[in-house]
Amino acid sequence: MIKKSILMVIAVLAIGFYSNRAFAQAAATAPTGDLVVTLSGNADYNVTAALLRAANLGTTLKGAGPYTIIAPSNIALAALPAGKLDSLMADPAKLAAVLKGHVIVGKFDKAELIKTLGSGTPTLPTIDGNKLTLSVTDKHLTFTDALGNHAKVIAFDILGTNGVVIGIDGVLTK
């Protein structure tokens, strides 16, 4: 039990240290729009914003929240198998099911994610009723869904007026 606690503390410290080095980004500025607007204005995540609108989730995510969107980067979406994104776009209900697995009720910025990781129960419920599990993989914070799909965090704390976006390098709940 003590060994597990020590390992958890080391993991949390490693995430803090490496994420500050590996994910250096400009200082957070005051948010100017809701999460969908924020994603739309970000060249690395604007495809996710378009998908949220196509899945009719834009209205929900414009609400008061707060929400945390675990957003696949444009590069991650482009890496999906040929035809997968087109197939999802053709079926808004299926697209919504995938995207709901990327949305958490509550605001989980970098500090909250690290705190959750060290809590002993590092899971976060998504709006579709499933859970995402946090872990450290190759010195990166990683999200894993119930089906075992996983993605590493590549950007923290992209702030909107009603929550935060955490950028990931893959697509969960495929």
Side-chain angles (χ1 to χ4, degrees):
M1 184 71 170
I2 293 175
K3 285 183 182 180
K4 186 175 182 180
S5 296
I6 291 171
L7 289 174
M8 186 59 70
V9 169
I10 291 170
V12 169
L13 291 173
I15 287 175
F17 176 73
Y18 285 107
S19 62
N20 283 335
R21 293 178 66 214
F23 304 117
Q25 53 191 16
T29 58
T32 58
D34 61 62
L35 291 171
V36 177
V37 168
T38 299
L39 284 169
S40 295
N42 187 308
D44 294 323
Y45 298 96
N46 56 7
V47 174
T48 296
L51 294 174
L52 289 166
R53 286 189 186 102
N56 299 314
L57 292 174
T59 303
T60 300
L61 296 172
K62 286 182 177 290
Y67 299 103
T68 299
I69 299 177
I70 310 302
S73 69
N74 293 352
I75 294 169
L77 291 166
L80 286 171
K84 180 69 174 181
L85 197 54
D86 291 335
S87 170
L88 288 171
M89 290 289 290
D91 187 348
K94 194 171 187 177
L95 178 60
V98 169
L99 293 173
K100 286 179 180 179
H102 289 81
V103 180
I104 300 164
V105 175
K107 185 177 178 183
F108 290 89
D109 59 9
K110 180 180 177 182
E112 283 299 314
L113 291 173
I114 291 171
K115 188 171 157 183
T116 301
L117 181 66
S119 72
T121 54
T123 59
L124 299 167
T126 58
I127 63 171
D128 66 356
N130 290 308
K131 292 185 180 192
L132 296 177
T133 302
L134 295 169
S135 63
V136 177
T137 306
D138 299 327
K139 301 177 185 173
H140 292 279
L141 183 62
T142 301
F143 285 95
T144 304
D145 67 14
L147 300 174
N149 300 308
H150 60 276
K152 293 177 186 174
V153 174
I154 57 173
F156 288 97
D157 301 346
I158 303 168
L159 301 175
T161 55
N162 62 342
V164 64
V165 175
I166 302 297
I168 57 175
D169 71 349
V171 179
L172 302 169
T173 60
K174 299 174 191 171

